[in-house]
Amino acid sequence: MLGFILKFILTAVLVYGLSMVLPGVVLGGVGSAAILVIVLGILNAIVKPILQILGFPITVLTLGLFLLVINVIIVKLADFLMSSFDVHGLLNALLFSLALSVVNAVVDLVMD
């Protein structure tokens, strides 16, 4: 349980850091980053599998590159749901999504 809480806090702090580094990504603060991590987790658990099933033929045709589009959709949905999180443009959403994936991979390596 402690590992889960520590991973959550570390991810929230790194998401806030990403919002400071990446252009076009605005986040209200560390508290908003914690809420964003929760919202992205819920969207990844509920909406992402549905989009992956619906987009499976396109994903096969593009050799998996359509999964990047699905990640951008998830980030833009989080942008729509949260007033304290704003991503300007699809390219910035793609960069945020890729950077967030790298951050999550590093957090998983450090915590495990």
Side-chain angles (χ1 to χ4, degrees), residues 23-62:
V25 179
V26 179
L27 193 57
V30 179
S32 296
I35 295 171
L36 176 64
V37 170
I38 293 170
V39 168
L40 285 175
I42 292 170
L43 289 174
N44 281 331
I46 296 173
V47 177
K48 191 172 185 176
I50 295 169
L51 291 176
Q52 286 175 337
I53 290 170
L54 292 175
F56 181 72
I58 299 170
T59 304
V60 171
L61 287 175
T62 62

Side-chain angles (χ1 to χ4, degrees), residues 1-11 107-108 110-112:
M1 184 69 176
L2 182 64
F4 173 75
I5 294 171
L6 189 60
K7 191 182 289 190
F8 172 77
I9 292 170
L10 188 58
T11 303
V107 167
D108 287 341
V110 169
M111 295 302 297
D112 291 337

